[in-house]
């Protein structure tokens, strides 16, 4: 998508290629290695890692500042035949034709929509259940480290590492002292202990995070639609949480671009096309994240055996094919010039935009017209 938007080179400047990751025991014995080096030949791109603020800043530099409002929390929504409205916790209201709930796992938009559907008996019982809290982890970003003691560290300032503006409710700092006490003596592959890394991390950016997961069935109703964590929360074991959210955004944008009018019938038609395209794709990634979580985090005897065998004895070519399976689906913005496929693996064909093609032909005809 970065290439479609013309920011691929800048994206590479805020990213680092990742060709493998290691899993260690508590005594720092290497348990397994997952290599991704062979993926580039298959998919055409390196696997890249980056900080969230780095990506946010890159994208936001291309959005007019007056279009972004901070410290807004949706507490309720209203919608009818004529339009839609959101009410925020600070008392402000906003009106429009369509509400897109992209406000995270505890989405206020989703909660407002589901309350409406529950009142009229249209909410599936599974959607009323809480998110599943399967794992807990602690996250934070240290101050710049001594490169002699930590030769693999990259010098990043705290301002570059963390931007509080982008925290959502599940990333807010919580009481971390008990967890710190439990892990402070753990060894690290960077030398030293976790306690030393924690001591080099500002206390206000250490968070205890619940790794939750849930796939919601209801993605839209009326003039309201959900994308990203608001309708599917994946475990981070497959690294597909943010990817699926961005794919949602692209697929929805394509559907809205083809919208014939803002009538309720046309909106429903567009939003159903969006769900039909995305639900099965996300379902596959959701199941894959659960399987990968057992392989990476699992502590039962069978899970430990599977981790050792798969990561250490499976050929790299097979590993690369398995990890790139989900990369065949690569939606692009249909209203922008499409980027040619890279790599050797199969890529699902992109459905062209009839409206975009029509406008391109019209513009070409106007450019080539001769005035007599």
């Amino acid at each position: 998508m970065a290439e479609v938007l013309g920011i691929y080179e800048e994206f590479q400047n805020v990213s680092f290629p990742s060709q493998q990751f290691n899993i260690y025991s508590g005594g720092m014995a290497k348990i397994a290695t997952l290599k991704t080096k062979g993926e580039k030949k298959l998919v055409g791109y390196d696997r890249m890692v980056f900080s969230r603020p780095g990506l946010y800043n890159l994208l936001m530099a291309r959005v007019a500042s007056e279009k972004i409002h901070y410290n807004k929390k949706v507490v309720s929504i209203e919608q009818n035949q004529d339009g839609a409205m959101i009410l925020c916790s600070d008392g402000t209201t906003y009106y429009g034709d369509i509400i897109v709930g992209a406000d995270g796992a505890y989405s206020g938009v989703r909660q407002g929509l589901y309350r409406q559907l529950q009142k009229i008996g249209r909410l599936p019982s599974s959607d009323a259940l809480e998110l599943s809290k399967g794992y807990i982890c602690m996250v934070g970003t240290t101050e710049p480290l001594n490169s002699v003691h930590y030769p693999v560290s990259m010098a990043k300032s705290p301002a570059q590492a963390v931007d509080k503006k982008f925290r959502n409710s599940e990333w807010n700092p919580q009481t971390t002292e008990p967890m710190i006490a439990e892990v402070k003596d753990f060894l690290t592959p960077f030398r030293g202990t976790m306690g030393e890394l924690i001591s080099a991390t500002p206390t206000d950016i250490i968070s205890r995070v619940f790794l939750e997961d849930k796939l919601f069935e209801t993605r839209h109703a009326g003039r309201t639609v959900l994308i990203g964590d608001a309708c599917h929360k994946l475990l981070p074991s497959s690294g597909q949480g943010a990817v699926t959210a961005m794919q949602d955004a692209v697929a929805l944008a394509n559907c809205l671009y083809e919208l014939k009018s803002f009538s309720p019938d046309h909106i429903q038609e567009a939003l159903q096309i969006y769900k039909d395209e995305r639900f099965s794709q996300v379902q596959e990634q959701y199941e894959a994240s659960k399987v990968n979580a057992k392989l990476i985090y699992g502590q039962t005897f069978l899970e430990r055996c599977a981790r050792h065998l798969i990561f250490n004895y499976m050929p790299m070519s097979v590993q690369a094919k398995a990890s790139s399976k989900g990369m065949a689906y690569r939606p692009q913005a249909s209203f922008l010039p499409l980027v040619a496929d890279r790599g050797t693996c199969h890529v699902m064909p992109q459905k062209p935009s009839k409206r975009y093609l029509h406008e391109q032909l019209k513009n070409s005809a106007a450019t080539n017209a001769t005035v007599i």
Side-chain angles (χ1 to χ4, degrees):
M1 196 59 205
E3 200 166 2
V4 175
L5 296 175
I7 58 172
Y8 184 59
E9 194 170 313
E10 292 173 84
F11 172 72
Q12 288 180 303
N13 292 336
V14 299
S15 308
F16 306 96
S18 173
Q19 297 186 343
Q20 72 176 50
F21 72 83
N22 301 320
I23 302 174
Y24 295 89
S25 69
M28 283 299 101
K30 187 184 292 185
I31 298 173
T33 297
L34 178 60
K35 297 180 180 179
T36 61
K37 187 176 181 180
E39 285 185 354
K40 185 172 183 178
K41 182 178 179 181
L42 284 169
V43 302
Y45 299 91
D46 284 315
R47 183 177 290 254
M48 309 293 286
V49 295
F50 51 87
S51 70
R52 289 191 179 205
L55 178 62
Y56 292 151
N57 293 336
L58 180 59
L59 296 175
M60 287 174 56
R62 283 152 181 78
V63 180
S65 59
E66 65 270 15
K67 293 182 179 291
I68 302 174
H69 304 276
Y70 295 106
N71 302 315
K72 297 290 182 178
K73 180 175 177 59
V74 176
V75 294
S76 67
I77 68 169
E78 298 292 339
Q79 54 183 343
N80 56 33
Q81 294 291 308
D82 301 315
M85 180 203 78
I86 61 171
L87 170 65
C88 297
S89 57
D90 61 1
T92 55
T93 55
Y94 298 89
Y95 299 84
D97 295 296
I98 298 173
I99 300 172
V100 179
D103 49 341
Y106 295 98
S107 167
V109 174
R110 185 188 69 239
Q111 293 175 40
L113 177 64
Y114 282 13
R115 280 195 296 267
Q116 294 177 356
L117 295 177
Q118 204 159 29
K119 284 181 181 178
I120 59 176
R122 285 185 51 201
L123 185 71
S125 58
S126 61
D127 283 346
L129 301 176
E130 295 291 327
L131 280 75
S132 172
K133 295 179 172 64
Y135 304 91
I136 301 176
C137 74
M138 187 166 60
V139 297
T141 305
T142 70
E143 299 277 9
L145 300 172
N146 187 316
S147 60
V148 174
H149 295 144
Y150 299 94
V152 299
S153 67
M154 295 277 190
K156 295 279 186 181
S157 71
Q160 288 175 300
V162 175
D163 189 331
K164 296 180 184 178
K165 295 175 183 175
F166 300 114
R167 289 180 179 166
N168 55 30
S169 57
E170 66 264 41
W171 287 83
N172 284 336
Q174 300 179 25
T175 305
T176 56
E177 285 79 4
M179 195 169 186
I180 290 175
E182 189 175 343
V183 305
K184 66 181 179 63
D185 294 325
F186 284 11
L187 300 176
T188 77
F190 314 112
R191 303 166 76 175
T193 64
M194 280 293 298
E196 293 172 1
L197 295 178
I198 293 169
S199 297
T201 306
T203 56
D204 64 329
I205 62 171
I206 299 176
S207 298
R208 184 179 62 186
V209 180
F210 291 100
L211 303 184
E212 304 161 310
D213 70 318
K214 184 171 176 63
L215 180 62
F216 292 95
E217 182 180 339
T218 305
R219 279 179 164 249
H220 70 91
R223 293 175 175 271
T224 304
V225 61
L226 306 172
I227 69 173
D229 284 0
C231 57
H232 49 73
K233 185 74 167 66
L234 276 61
L235 294 171
S237 50
S238 293
Q240 294 296 305
V243 171
T244 54
M246 287 186 277
Q247 290 174 340
D248 281 353
V250 173
L252 179 60
N254 289 342
C255 293
L256 296 182
Y257 181 76
E258 302 291 343
L259 200 61
K260 299 171 185 175
S261 76
F262 288 111
S263 71
D265 288 344
H266 286 158
I267 289 175
Q268 280 302 297
E269 180 184 1
L271 299 187
Q272 186 60 44
I273 291 173
Y274 154 73
K275 180 182 178 180
D276 291 344
E277 177 181 344
R278 289 297 299 139
F279 191 81
S280 61
Q281 294 291 337
V282 174
Q283 196 168 33
E284 286 187 16
Q285 295 297 342
Y286 176 73
E287 296 300 333
S289 71
K290 295 173 82 70
V291 172
N292 284 347
K294 290 181 179 180
L295 286 175
I296 297 173
Y297 318 133
Q299 295 300 309
T300 68
F301 175 74
L302 289 178
E303 289 166 345
R304 289 170 184 262
C305 289
R307 175 165 53 239
H308 179 75
L309 292 172
I310 291 174
F311 289 158
N312 289 313
Y313 294 100
M314 181 183 289
M316 195 189 331
S317 60
V318 177
Q319 285 189 27
K321 280 189 177 181
S323 62
S324 65
K325 182 181 177 182
M327 298 179 189
Y329 175 76
R330 303 185 203 175
Q332 299 187 43
S334 61
F335 46 88
L336 295 173
L338 299 182
V339 172
D341 295 335
R342 298 190 185 191
T344 59
C345 73
H346 167 70
V347 177
M348 294 174 62
Q350 173 85 36
K351 184 179 179 180
S353 165
K354 293 181 180 179
R355 177 184 167 190
Y356 176 74
L357 293 176
H358 176 72
E359 291 183 355
Q360 290 296 102
L361 287 172
K362 188 169 64 175
N363 292 337
S364 177
T367 302
N368 295 327
T370 302
V371 179
I372 300 177

